Amino acid sequence: MANMTATSGRKSVVIADVARVAGVSVPTVSRVLTGAAKVSPEKFERVQRAIEELNYRPSSAARALVHGRSEMIAIVAGDTSRYGYAMTIRGIELAARASGYVVLIVVLEGTEEEVVQPAIDLLLSQPLAGIVALQFDTKGVNAVKRLPSWIPLVAVSGSRPHGISHAEIDELAGGEKLTDYLLDLGHRTVHHVSIPETGDENGRTSGWRRALERRGIEPPQIVRATWEPQSGVAIGRDLAGDPSVTAVFCGNDEIAMGVMKGLAESGKSVPGDVSVVGFDNHPLSELWTPALTTIEQDFVDLGRRAFEMLLARVEGRTADDSTFSPRIVIRDSAGPRAAE
Amino acid sequence: MANMTATSGRKSVVIADVARVAGVSVPTVSRVLTGAAKVSPEKFERVQRAIEELNYRPSSAARALVHGRSEMIAIVAGDTSRYGYAMTIRGIELAARASGYVVLIVVLEGTEEEVVQPAIDLLLSQPLAGIVALQFDTKGVNAVKRLPSWIPLVAVSGSRPHGISHAEIDELAGGEKLTDYLLDLGHRTVHHVSIPETGDENGRTSGWRRALERRGIEPPQIVRATWEPQSGVAIGRDLAGDPSVTAVFCGNDEIAMGVMKGLAESGKSVPGDVSVVGFDNHPLSELWTPALTTIEQDFVDLGRRAFEMLLARVEGRTADDSTFSPRIVIRDSAGPRAAE
DNA sequence: GTGAAAGCGCTAACAC
DNA sequence: GTGTTAGCGCTTTCAC
């Protein structure tokens, strides 16, 4: 009632309105907002009431202008529709909001200069505190290369170049576990259908290779799939024609489903004739027939950790790289090697 | 070289730096930036070169402060990991960036006041041009209710209350098409496993009901699933016990996969004993065995349209609600009614 | 066309 | 403790 314009919700209630209603100066309002300095209990109280009454919210743009940056981070990703990405984004957003940060999202549609540069320019015109880059694919890896070095950056997964902070799941351990599991089941070797490369060899593939080499088994030729589950189908058909193939470790669950489909189309039974395992514990992997044996990854937690690392860097604390172990989920798609 | 500090990438290159290097006043630089007024060709040229040389990017925070809002929109969603959500978000982001907008994302973890209100407060402290709310679920629907009316808002899918702009796919037509298809195959009725309710009956369910009623068939009791594909399994088992069930229309593909699993576990063959159809054309629906008959939705396009509508409202143009027709994708999970 | 001056909403520095 | 002053980086009058 002191200020009908403001109370009636017409946008722009500013700090001066609050000051007027509370009968104090603008900086005093600011002081209760930021807690930067002491304010007498009574004025504190009056300010709080005025804020409440006017439904005042400080302008983050004005704050950003003063501070040079704002409580805002950005996520740069090459895709958002795949399970792992989406869950990681969710983890980042949750953790960010809990710390009072908002999150911008940028999805890159390619790696070409003409698409990446404008996206980065737009991003850098924002008062960002930092960036989390999802390096699950080439687009993400590429984007990181174009980011200026002054901005706090944390990369998730992917390759680890020149001193960038990193959060990741121990994919190597996961790949190794899965391969060991298959070998222990009696398979003489394990074939590998890999996710697309991002530059370096991915951890899953390295784990597979290591498990094989530890037992003195020469790793068979890697078959490379695309991110499309479909690509696994043709690969499955090919694999069905090779009698030495009795166990296949796929780079992710979706590819595994494609491979199983291809195998089935070629008359092979899973796990009867050939065992197949995936990676990620996709929500549908449990429903597949046969239910998929795979590696469970906690993507939400991964995202959360990535944000915490970024926050640490923003605040000038040091942040250790964060790696954590995945868990094997044994279901029905892998079994003992068939008798000949 | 005119300004080593700036060219060496030390953050903050401001408009005054550009003005100095170009030998013009600050407003002149602003004029070439915004195109708000004419600038002589030579100065224009000098300014452009200075911008290039210094790698200058205008501060969106400062602009936001002047304009009262910025080229920033927010997406409010209840989930981001499901296929439809993720694709819609992608469509929104792509369209937004093409128009020079950045996008904030907020994922709501519930509908409780204590989680929604802080999220909305944080959001509204940003200089937003508008909001796109994903109303696929209760969380999204609920969030819309708490948004102030002065902010431009477009809702995607879901129920349509009091004059909010809406973009959606014609789910009713989709549900009807699918049900007709099943009925034409000879089934005497079609059972329906619905996605969780959001308040109003969803379009898919309404389409199913309409197709049945048009033929004078009393719609059987609706079975309600959760968003978890798992929930379909138990439902599938139940359905297997009811001999009147020969055709099932599921609210989405993931639930359909669960239902098929439950049916299979109970010894029913699909589509031999019972036909099952889904909705969404999830990427894995094609790989499923049997491949799923479903409705294809163009979520990316949906997101794009939602953004265009929002932009129209922001710019004061009128925006018609946008509804468009889905396409049926016939595969192998539905067939003629089995002979008795 | 172009520059000088004012001001967006806020916080920080400085008196009192 | 508290108010006054200045200033963040930009755009927008308003003279010239």
Side-chain angles (χ1 to χ4, degrees):
Chain A
M1 50 181 76
N3 183 328
M4 278 305 291
T5 314
T7 45
S8 61
R10 313 259 284 71
K11 272 195 96 159
S12 57
V13 179
V14 301
I15 197 170
D17 297 325
V18 176
R20 189 162 21 75
V21 170
V24 300
S25 72
V26 167
T28 295
V29 177
S30 176
R31 286 189 262 261
V32 348
L33 252 23
T34 62
K38 301 245 157 296
V39 171
S40 72
E42 64 208 296
K43 297 203 171 174
F44 189 93
E45 179 63 24
R46 264 151 57 199
V47 168
Q48 292 250 308
R49 237 198 322 271
I51 288 175
E52 189 83 9
E53 182 186 333
L54 300 177
N55 197 22
Y56 165 77
R57 276 178 264 266
S59 151
S60 75
R63 283 182 164 173
L65 192 55
V66 173
H67 290 139
R69 62 175 177 78
S70 132
E71 320 245 275
M72 174 160 76
I73 64 158
I75 300 177
V76 177
D79 196 338
T80 48
S81 58
R82 294 193 194 289
Y83 176 67
Y85 288 83
M87 293 299 272
T88 307
I89 289 170
R90 182 172 172 182
I92 295 170
E93 204 277 332
L94 255 29
R97 183 143 40 78
S99 297
Y101 279 72
V102 292
V103 358
L104 280 183
I105 181 136
V106 172
V107 3
L108 266 13
E109 286 297 281
T111 55
E112 316 79 34
E113 171 96 27
E114 318 85 73
V115 30
V116 177
Q117 203 55 51
I120 291 185
D121 283 342
L122 187 58
L123 204 57
L124 294 179
S125 71
Q126 299 302 130
L128 295 181
I131 295 178
V132 177
L134 263 36
Q135 294 201 118
F136 294 123
D137 58 26
T138 329
K139 295 178 211 160
V141 171
N142 178 271
V144 167
K145 294 191 190 127
R146 315 215 177 211
L147 259 15
S149 55
W150 52 260
I151 193 154
L153 172 70
V154 168
V156 176
S157 192
S159 56
R160 6 160 102 256
H162 33 279
I164 291 173
S165 287
H166 244 271
E168 63 181 354
I169 286 166
D170 192 349
E171 302 201 347
L172 197 146
E176 198 169 1
K177 260 182 212 175
L178 235 24
T179 308
D180 275 334
Y181 173 70
L182 256 11
L183 259 13
D184 288 343
L185 244 22
H187 297 277
R188 306 231 223 266
T189 188
V190 174
H191 284 71
H192 180 48
V193 180
S194 166
I195 50 178
E197 38 191 336
T198 55
D200 298 354
E201 182 169 277
N202 69 76
R204 310 168 188 206
T205 299
S206 303
W208 161 78
R209 185 187 305 283
R210 190 158 83 182
L212 252 23
E213 287 173 347
R214 236 188 325 97
R215 306 209 192 188
I217 301 169
E218 171 79 8
Q221 179 70 40
I222 294 175
V223 184
R224 210 163 286 280
T226 71
W227 288 109
E228 297 310 316
Q230 284 303 332
S231 70
V233 180
I235 294 172
R237 284 197 215 100
D238 282 356
L239 258 20
D242 180 347
S244 75
V245 175
T246 66
V248 183
F249 163 35
C250 300
N252 71 30
D253 288 347
E254 286 150 294
I255 293 172
M257 294 179 196
V259 167
M260 287 163 81
K261 174 92 169 178
L263 250 14
E265 284 179 8
S266 308
K268 294 282 187 178
S269 88
V270 177
D273 298 321
V274 6
S275 292
V276 176
V277 299
F279 209 99
D280 283 351
N281 197 25
H282 187 287
L284 291 174
S285 62
E286 186 174 359
L287 291 185
W288 196 264
T289 305
L292 197 56
T293 289
T294 187
I295 287 287
E296 179 185 71
Q297 309 213 64
D298 190 341
F299 288 110
V300 172
D301 189 51
L302 177 66
R304 202 178 49 66
R305 295 208 200 197
F307 174 77
E308 297 301 345
M309 288 173 64
L310 183 60
L311 189 58
R313 296 208 40 179
V314 166
E315 295 177 344
R317 291 179 279 128
T318 55
D320 293 333
D321 279 7
S322 177
T323 299
F324 37 109
S325 286
R327 189 175 70 87
I328 187 168
V329 180
I330 296 177
R331 290 199 275 246
D332 313 324
S333 64
R337 178 162 173 275
E340 262 147 39
Chain B
M1 48 176 80
N3 183 330
M4 277 305 292
T5 315
T7 46
S8 60
R10 312 263 279 71
K11 274 194 96 160
S12 58
V13 179
V14 299
I15 197 170
D17 296 326
V18 176
R20 190 161 21 75
V21 170
V24 300
S25 72
V26 166
T28 295
V29 177
S30 175
R31 286 190 261 263
V32 348
L33 251 25
T34 62
K38 301 244 155 300
V39 171
S40 71
E42 63 207 296
K43 295 200 171 175
F44 189 93
E45 178 64 24
R46 264 152 56 200
V47 168
Q48 291 251 306
R49 232 193 332 265
I51 287 175
E52 188 83 11
E53 182 187 333
L54 299 177
N55 195 24
Y56 167 76
R57 277 179 267 264
S59 151
S60 74
R63 285 183 163 172
L65 191 54
V66 172
H67 290 138
R69 63 175 175 78
S70 122
E71 321 245 276
M72 174 159 76
I73 64 158
I75 300 176
V76 176
D79 196 338
T80 48
S81 58
R82 295 195 194 287
Y83 176 66
Y85 287 82
M87 294 299 270
T88 307
I89 289 170
R90 182 173 171 180
I92 295 170
E93 203 277 332
L94 255 28
R97 184 142 40 79
S99 296
Y101 279 72
V102 292
V103 358
L104 281 182
I105 181 136
V106 172
V107 3
L108 266 13
E109 288 296 283
T111 54
E112 315 80 33
E113 171 96 26
E114 318 85 73
V115 32
V116 177
Q117 203 53 53
I120 290 185
D121 284 343
L122 188 56
L123 204 56
L124 293 179
S125 71
Q126 299 301 132
L128 294 182
I131 295 179
V132 178
L134 264 37
Q135 296 201 116
F136 295 122
D137 58 27
T138 329
K139 294 178 208 159
V141 170
N142 177 271
V144 167
K145 294 190 190 129
R146 315 213 177 214
L147 259 15
S149 55
W150 53 260
I151 192 154
L153 172 69
V154 169
V156 176
S157 193
S159 55
R160 8 160 98 258
H162 33 282
I164 291 173
S165 287
H166 244 271
E168 62 181 354
I169 286 165
D170 191 350
E171 302 201 346
L172 197 146
E176 198 169 3
K177 260 183 213 174
L178 235 24
T179 308
D180 275 334
Y181 171 70
L182 255 12
L183 259 13
D184 289 343
L185 244 23
H187 297 277
R188 305 231 224 268
T189 189
V190 175
H191 284 71
H192 179 48
V193 180
S194 165
I195 51 178
E197 37 191 337
T198 57
D200 298 354
E201 181 170 277
N202 70 77
R204 312 170 185 202
T205 298
S206 302
W208 161 79
R209 184 187 305 282
R210 189 157 85 183
L212 252 22
E213 287 173 349
R214 237 188 324 95
R215 308 209 191 187
I217 301 170
E218 171 79 8
Q221 180 70 40
I222 294 175
V223 185
R224 209 162 287 280
T226 71
W227 288 109
E228 297 310 315
Q230 284 305 330
S231 69
V233 180
I235 293 172
R237 283 197 216 102
D238 282 355
L239 258 19
D242 180 347
S244 74
V245 175
T246 67
V248 183
F249 163 35
C250 300
N252 72 30
D253 288 348
E254 285 151 295
I255 292 172
M257 295 176 194
V259 168
M260 288 163 79
K261 175 90 170 179
L263 251 13
E265 284 179 8
S266 309
K268 294 282 186 179
S269 89
V270 176
D273 298 320
V274 7
S275 292
V276 176
V277 300
F279 209 98
D280 284 352
N281 198 25
H282 186 286
L284 291 174
S285 62
E286 186 175 359
L287 291 185
W288 207 261
T289 304
L292 197 57
T293 290
T294 188
I295 288 285
E296 180 186 68
Q297 308 213 65
D298 191 342
F299 288 110
V300 173
D301 190 50
L302 177 66
R304 200 178 50 64
R305 297 209 199 196
F307 175 76
E308 297 302 345
M309 289 173 63
L310 183 60
L311 189 57
R313 298 207 40 177
V314 166
E315 295 176 344
R317 292 179 279 127
T318 55
D320 293 332
D321 278 10
S322 177
T323 299
F324 38 109
S325 286
R327 189 175 70 86
I328 187 168
V329 181
I330 296 177
R331 290 199 276 246
D332 314 324
S333 64
R337 177 161 173 277
E340 262 147 38

